[in-house]
Amino acid sequence: VFKGVSPRVSMPGPRKYVFVTGGVMSGLGKGVITASIAKLLRASGLNALPMKIDPYINVDAGTMNPIVHGEVYVTQDGGECDMDLGTYERFLGVDLTKDHNMTTGQVYRSVIDAERRGEYLGECVQIIPHVTNEVKRRLRGLAERRGLDVLVVESGGTVGDIEGLPYLEAFRQMRAEDGRDNTMFVHVTWGPVLPSVGEFKTKPTQHSVQELRRIGIQPDVIVVRSSSPMPEDAKRKIALYTNVEQDAVFSSPDLETIYEVPLVLEGQGFMRAVERDLKLGPLNPNLDDWRRIVEPFKAKAPQLRIAMVGKYSKLADSYVSVNQSLHHAAARLGVKLSIEWLDSERYELEPRELEALREYDGVLIPGGFGRRGSEGMIAAADYARRNMIPFLGICFGFQLAAVSFARHVAGLDGANSTELDPSTPHPVVDLLPEQRGIDRMGGTMRLGAHEIEIVPGTAARTIYGSDRIIRRHRHRYEVNPDYVSKLEESGLVFSAFSDSRRRAEILEVPGHPFFMATQYHLEFSSRPWEPEPLFTAFVAAAHASAHGKKETHALTTAG
Ligand code: GLN
């Protein structure tokens, strides 16, 4: 099994830094490039890890809108982090800690706290040097604590953004202070292809590099994202105009799967550039395992359809870890699936629309917050249960599945979560006791890894093949312990608990092809080479259901 860690080569001397900046526009997949660089370094035997800088003033991603910023990724140690940390973990197989995500909020908070403590007495506290020093202190501190050979630093946003300037200035200073051989600048840009003439345009890259140089940074490597591979003459042109060696200009075209990116970069000799810039090497990444892992992810026609029912259905990044986990499970089973987003609010306006769920092979209700769309999700859970459609609920989806069962099977009319209806007669889901009295929003949920005990003789026990798992959490509400036995008397099974059996973690409906839900976020524990077992079981059930549908179809059309 691939673990992402190769035998260490010893590297005497100072720690090294690769800085990844972005140009032209955001959303180019800089996180994937950063993860791929760390992957190639680790596959070469170096102890390299990535980290992400977010230039916004939020202290962490927990208070941001997932529709705009993508999902909040929860680390083992309970950090509410940028979704790129999920990409890193899925490429590297290393559990990162929250200090792998730095935000302007954290940096300014430290500087202002130090000022209040009187650490800068008599000084005028400024962006240079106080903020830039704090940035450098954090980068070097992380590299030191982890004993890294190379820290790969991804800077969020685009060169030229006002928010990002202090970070670029800190990187510039580190080149001077840590040395040319210990710092490497990778700039990621976009190469559009004009649809009319099919010409590959290099001008956006040229302008973006000019902007970077104006700030005092000359890139060592340029990675150009584009829809199709960049032609050699475009590489030549970019090299000429940006003062970068032609063999240090790399093409990163759209691929069948993001997991191929390290292979495509190395195929163009990426490590030759690293050897040259960081005076390392020779670096010969061993990518045999990775090639084997990537193969099943390559394109095939989708054989089954999963409906994702929720309210944050606009931006695919809102649930990137759930999407990836489903694809990991499908790859493991040798199938391909498509994921379609259904807005649960439509079931509230038009309950008959629920019938459309029949077309899907599985229904998934992911995490979420707040009232909007929740009645539709409760109805969708009930529809999947009654119509034997494989169902998986995660966190909010778990809580609403419990509410749905309470109303429709246990006969508890008006049952609800107190998050959605504070005066419900049956608070089947209620605030965690330790959450009472908490009025601050940031970082105050039940977060991070907790141990979970699985009840013998349950489907969960069979699927996990173990009595104990550790999974990540992010919630304020839980299934009310006062209702557990009442729901169980009506046939629901709570098959796992945490905190000495106080907290329900998994529910299942016996006799259904697959109806399971978890309080924990299993999507943060799935890796391409090791899908989370419950996802695999869900996709297997969906596949069986798709197969069944096809057979029924064949029978009816033959008859
Ligand atoms: N809103 C629910 C809670 O706070 C679920 C949270 C989630 O899905 N992450 O418990």
Side-chain angles (χ1 to χ4, degrees):
V1 169
F2 178 81
K3 284 277 178 251
V5 190
S6 303
R8 277 205 52 159
V9 296
S10 64
M11 200 192 71
R15 310 202 187 281
K16 298 182 187 262
Y17 301 86
V18 175
F19 298 106
V20 183
T21 56
V24 186
M25 62 183 190
S26 62
L28 290 176
K30 219 181 331 140
V32 170
I33 306 279
T34 304
S36 300
I37 295 171
K39 171 101 233 159
L40 290 172
L41 290 164
R42 291 180 75 79
S44 308
L46 292 161
N47 187 8
L49 285 177
M51 67 102 60
K52 171 80 192 278
I53 293 178
D54 283 302
Y56 44 67
I57 297 174
N58 303 61
V59 170
D60 59 42
T63 53
M64 290 195 299
N65 182 345
I67 301 181
V68 183
H69 297 280
E71 81 176 4
V72 177
Y73 190 80
V74 181
T75 51
Q76 202 77 356
D77 65 341
E80 298 178 277
C81 296
D82 185 274
M83 61 171 211
D84 280 328
L85 269 80
T87 307
Y88 302 163
E89 290 198 348
R90 286 187 285 271
F91 271 72
L92 305 174
V94 178
D95 288 336
L96 299 172
T97 40
K98 57 184 159 200
D99 51 359
H100 285 260
N101 190 188
M102 180 199 306
T103 68
T104 297
Q106 293 165 16
V107 172
Y108 274 71
R109 185 140 100 170
S110 301
V111 170
I112 292 169
D113 284 348
E115 187 273 338
R116 290 289 85 183
R117 283 195 304 270
E119 284 174 29
Y120 311 126
L121 270 190
E123 288 174 55
C124 171
V125 181
Q126 294 178 295
I127 291 180
I128 305 172
H130 299 91
V131 167
T132 46
N133 282 352
E134 175 63 18
V135 171
K136 290 185 290 181
R137 190 185 70 79
R138 282 171 176 253
L139 296 179
R140 291 176 182 138
L142 179 63
E144 203 60 45
R145 278 196 301 286
R146 298 278 171 280
L148 297 181
D149 302 322
V150 186
L151 178 64
V152 186
V153 183
E154 176 188 353
S155 180
T158 318
V159 168
D161 294 348
I162 291 176
E163 288 94 337
L165 286 173
Y167 297 103
L168 297 177
E169 170 58 18
F171 303 165
R172 192 193 65 77
Q173 292 174 13
M174 282 179 76
R175 162 146 291 190
E177 293 166 5
D178 296 59
R180 183 169 270 292
D181 298 347
N182 299 320
T183 49
M184 174 175 172
F185 288 97
V186 176
H187 192 52
V188 181
T189 70
W190 181 50
V193 180
L194 279 192
S196 48
V197 279
E199 193 192 348
F200 196 102
K201 303 306 283 184
T202 62
K203 193 67 90 186
T205 299
Q206 295 178 38
H207 277 295
S208 171
V209 171
Q210 277 172 21
E211 185 67 22
L212 195 59
R213 282 153 79 178
R214 205 175 57 75
I215 298 163
I217 294 173
Q218 163 66 44
D220 301 304
V221 162
I222 294 175
V223 178
V224 184
R225 286 278 298 112
S226 54
S227 51
S228 52
M230 175 165 56
E232 221 32 55
D233 66 317
K235 278 192 183 180
R236 200 175 313 121
K237 206 161 164 189
I238 288 173
L240 177 67
Y241 284 102
T242 62
N243 260 339
V244 169
E245 306 279 338
Q246 192 175 324
D247 61 1
V249 180
F250 295 90
S251 172
S252 179
D254 291 348
L255 299 167
E256 288 171 15
T257 161
I258 53 169
Y259 299 117
E260 265 187 294
V261 173
L263 303 173
V264 165
L265 290 179
E266 183 50 12
Q268 298 165 70
F270 196 85
M271 293 322 260
R272 298 294 82 75
V274 176
E275 287 170 0
R276 197 165 55 213
D277 292 322
L278 293 181
K279 301 288 178 291
L280 282 173
L283 300 175
N284 295 306
N286 180 351
L287 295 165
D288 296 344
D289 282 349
W290 192 247
R291 262 186 211 101
R292 250 195 315 280
I293 289 162
V294 170
E295 205 45 46
F297 285 89
K298 301 243 184 103
K300 250 189 264 167
Q303 294 128 308
L304 51 137
R305 294 165 76 198
I306 304 292
M308 195 103 117
V309 178
K311 75 169 173 178
Y312 295 141
S313 49
K314 294 260 155 34
L315 182 77
D317 277 351
S318 308
Y319 290 104
V320 58
S321 292
V322 175
N323 286 342
Q324 289 297 317
S325 301
L326 286 168
H327 291 308
H328 298 164
R332 164 60 49 91
L333 296 167
V335 298
K336 188 94 182 174
L337 51 77
S338 66
I339 303 166
E340 284 157 59
W341 294 84
L342 303 177
D343 186 348
S344 58
E345 271 186 295
R346 67 212 243 180
Y347 307 135
E348 298 170 9
L349 302 169
E350 194 38 88
R352 264 183 322 197
E353 292 226 5
L354 281 166
E355 288 297 325
L357 288 177
R358 219 182 265 285
E359 301 299 312
Y360 294 88
D361 307 306
V363 171
L364 192 156
I365 301 185
F369 295 84
R371 210 185 158 96
R372 185 160 67 79
S374 60
E375 282 299 320
M377 293 180 230
I378 293 167
D382 186 53
Y383 188 89
R385 189 185 53 76
R386 280 188 290 108
N387 293 284
M388 300 293 169
I389 305 169
F391 173 89
L392 179 63
I394 303 175
C395 200
F396 201 43
F398 165 85
Q399 297 170 0
L400 297 182
V403 167
S404 172
F405 195 89
R407 285 188 195 174
H408 299 289
V409 184
L412 303 173
D413 287 343
N416 215 331
S417 163
T418 52
E419 176 184 2
L420 314 168
D421 177 6
S423 55
T424 167
H426 296 292
V428 167
V429 175
D430 200 6
L431 201 61
L432 291 157
E434 64 270 31
Q435 288 282 327
R436 293 184 204 287
I438 291 181
D439 54 358
R440 286 166 67 103
M441 290 300 272
T444 55
M445 283 188 243
R446 180 176 184 242
L447 289 167
H450 293 271
E451 194 178 67
I452 295 159
E453 254 179 89
I454 306 180
V455 179
T458 60
R461 175 66 183 74
T462 308
I463 289 165
Y464 281 110
S466 166
D467 296 331
R468 236 164 255 278
I469 52 171
I470 292 175
R471 289 294 183 275
R472 303 181 196 181
H473 296 74
R474 182 172 186 253
H475 62 124
R476 260 183 237 289
Y477 293 81
E478 65 170 343
V479 165
N480 185 342
D482 297 344
Y483 280 89
V484 164
S485 51
K486 206 166 281 166
L487 294 173
E488 290 207 312
E489 280 157 25
S490 305
L492 192 63
V493 170
F494 286 102
S495 46
F497 296 86
S498 59
D499 296 345
S500 330
R501 277 198 76 97
R502 266 202 330 233
R503 209 138 272 166
E505 293 275 2
I506 308 182
L507 66 75
E508 48 191 76
V509 175
H512 190 283
F514 188 98
F515 192 104
M516 298 188 73
T518 69
Q519 179 58 72
Y520 56 89
H521 284 276
L522 60 165
E523 72 270 30
F524 300 141
S525 300
S526 178
R527 304 290 173 255
W529 57 94
E530 200 171 29
E532 214 281 347
L534 207 56
F535 270 112
T536 313
F538 170 61
V539 174
H543 189 224
S545 144
H547 205 72
K549 265 184 217 144
K550 229 177 279 156
E551 281 183 350
T552 321
H553 181 74
L555 280 177
T556 47
T557 47

